């Protein structure tokens, strides 16, 4: 499941699109004046601090000078993440759509959250309020803890997980998705693809027998490392760790080297239907 990047375009792109986690040992380091940002008290009522693509800082507490430092650090990470993806997969250049940057200063282990928000359970990512309509979710992570690793677990291949949960799922009638968009519950209209992806996310997280019995592999990321993967296809769970940065990119399926490896094409193949 894990591959350490060899500096050739083909291998890194093929690894990412094939559902692997690409780990880069040389990572992203905080500047000396940013070290004090490793402080969960800076969280303002959410589990993560976010920087939107239009550079609005959200869910951050603390004085203006600290929030400015957070914003600067997160913008620097966003630029680093783009450079990293473009180095790994040069032909994505020009097609990557920048999403949110997040800083995760809280310890994951021991948090009390609802089943569907519990990222210690294996899942693929799907955004309830931000439909991607088939676009890929490519994420760059950095462990910025001074010494502790971040622990993940990865699960079975996407198609095998989908084969288990897909028979239980039915996309919403289009009118329902139109209404969600009209009342502002979603940013843009959800497609049948978004419904199925959210169903897979929720189905896996709710199924405790699946969580206990499905194939899984531990994966730990040392302090200072960076890793990249398509989290819409890699079954993953974040078990333990504190102080991570994450940058989300969306990528149109057509920009992939092998679009048939996308969850959109896999689900269309499995259902025999056009989903977007
Ligand atoms: Fe996730």
């Amino acid at each position: 499941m894990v591959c350490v990047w060899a500096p050739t375009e083909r291998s890194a792109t093929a690894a990412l699109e094939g559902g692997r986690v690409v780990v880069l040992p040389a990572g992203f380091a905080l500047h000396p004046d940013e070290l004090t940002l490793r402080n969960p008290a800076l969280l303002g009522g959410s589990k993560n601090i976010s920087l939107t693509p239009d550079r609005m800082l959200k869910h951050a507490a603390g004085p203006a000078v600290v929030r400015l430092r957070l914003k600067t650090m997160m913008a620097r990470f966003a630029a680093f993440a783009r450079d990293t993806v473009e180095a790994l997969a040069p032909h994505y250049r020009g097609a990557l759509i920048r999403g949110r940057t997040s800083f995760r200063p809280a310890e994951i282990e021991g948090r009390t959250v609802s089943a569907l928000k519990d990222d210690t359970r294996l899942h693929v990512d799907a955004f309830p309020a931000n439909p991607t309509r088939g676009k890929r979710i490519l994420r760059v992570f950095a462990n910025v803890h001074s010494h502790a690793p971040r622990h993940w677990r990865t699960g079975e291949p996407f198609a095998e997980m989908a084969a288990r949960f897909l028979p239980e799922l039915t996309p919403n009638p289009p009118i329902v998705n139109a209404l969600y968009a009209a009342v502002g519950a979603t940013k843009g209209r959800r497609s049948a693809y978004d419904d199925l992806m959210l169903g897979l996310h929720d189905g896996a997280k709710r199924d405790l027998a699946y969580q206990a019995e499905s194939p899984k592999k531990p994966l730990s990321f040392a302090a200072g490392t960076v890793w990249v993967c398509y989290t819409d296809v890699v079954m993953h769970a974040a078990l333990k760790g504190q102080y991570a940065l994450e940058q989300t990119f969306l990528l149109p399926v057509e920009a992939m080297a092998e679009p048939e490896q996308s969850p959109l094409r896999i689900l269309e193949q499995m259902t025999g239907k056009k989903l977007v």
Side-chain angles (χ1 to χ4, degrees):
M1 194 59 85
V2 185
C3 92
V4 175
W5 177 45
T8 62
E9 175 193 351
R10 200 167 174 277
S11 68
T13 308
L16 289 170
E17 295 190 1
R20 292 160 74 94
V21 180
V22 173
V23 182
L24 307 175
F28 176 84
L30 296 182
H31 289 166
D33 68 339
E34 294 167 343
L35 299 177
T36 54
L37 300 176
R38 291 190 292 213
N39 177 3
L42 297 180
L43 275 168
S46 181
K47 65 178 185 177
N48 300 324
I49 296 168
S50 299
L51 185 67
T52 65
D54 55 356
R55 292 163 208 270
M56 298 285 293
L57 189 70
K58 299 205 165 168
H59 313 302
V65 63
V66 173
R67 281 184 280 121
L68 178 62
R69 202 173 291 150
L70 270 170
K71 194 170 168 178
T72 306
M73 181 270 284
M74 292 172 73
R76 196 163 61 79
F77 178 70
F80 165 87
R82 181 177 287 273
D83 290 347
T84 299
V85 173
E86 290 181 349
L88 288 171
H91 76 276
Y92 289 176
R93 201 168 291 174
L96 289 168
I97 301 162
R98 178 175 160 177
R100 283 188 178 218
T101 315
S102 86
F103 177 46
R104 306 171 175 196
E107 169 57 52
I108 303 168
E109 193 179 38
R111 270 198 308 219
T112 333
V113 284
S114 67
L116 297 184
K117 289 199 168 162
D118 184 358
D119 290 337
T120 68
R121 301 184 186 201
L122 283 165
H123 65 283
V124 285
D125 287 343
F127 304 142
N130 293 282
T132 70
R133 300 183 62 85
K135 290 189 194 69
R136 303 299 315 272
I137 302 173
L138 182 61
R139 290 184 142 170
V140 180
F141 300 85
N143 180 358
V144 292
H145 198 287
S146 60
H147 59 277
R150 194 166 186 88
H151 295 281
W152 271 26
R153 140 189 309 164
T154 56
E156 64 184 341
F158 178 84
E160 286 166 38
M161 176 278 295
R164 172 166 175 146
F165 293 104
L166 208 50
E168 301 164 13
L169 303 177
T170 314
N172 293 328
I175 182 72
V176 171
N177 286 342
L179 278 171
Y180 283 150
V183 300
T186 58
K187 288 184 188 130
R189 193 182 294 198
R190 298 168 60 90
S191 61
Y193 169 78
D194 295 290
D195 292 338
L196 293 182
M197 286 299 287
L198 196 59
L200 295 175
H201 167 276
D202 294 358
K205 279 191 174 174
R206 280 199 183 108
D207 189 334
L208 292 178
Y210 177 79
Q211 293 293 328
E213 293 154 17
S214 64
K216 52 185 79 70
K217 236 167 102 169
L219 184 54
S220 67
F221 305 102
T225 54
V226 166
W227 60 105
V228 186
C229 64
Y230 277 112
T231 56
D232 53 4
V233 92
V234 174
M235 285 293 283
H236 62 285
L239 304 179
K240 187 175 185 332
Q242 192 173 12
Y243 310 128
L245 282 155
E246 176 270 325
Q247 174 64 49
T248 299
F249 295 102
L250 298 181
L251 186 85
V253 164
E254 306 71 45
M256 294 175 66
E258 296 184 65
E260 66 278 13
Q261 303 224 58
S262 65
L264 174 63
R265 298 280 181 262
I266 293 170
L267 294 176
E268 286 184 334
Q269 174 94 33
M270 291 174 84
T271 57
K273 290 181 183 150
K274 203 157 167 46
L275 297 174
V276 174

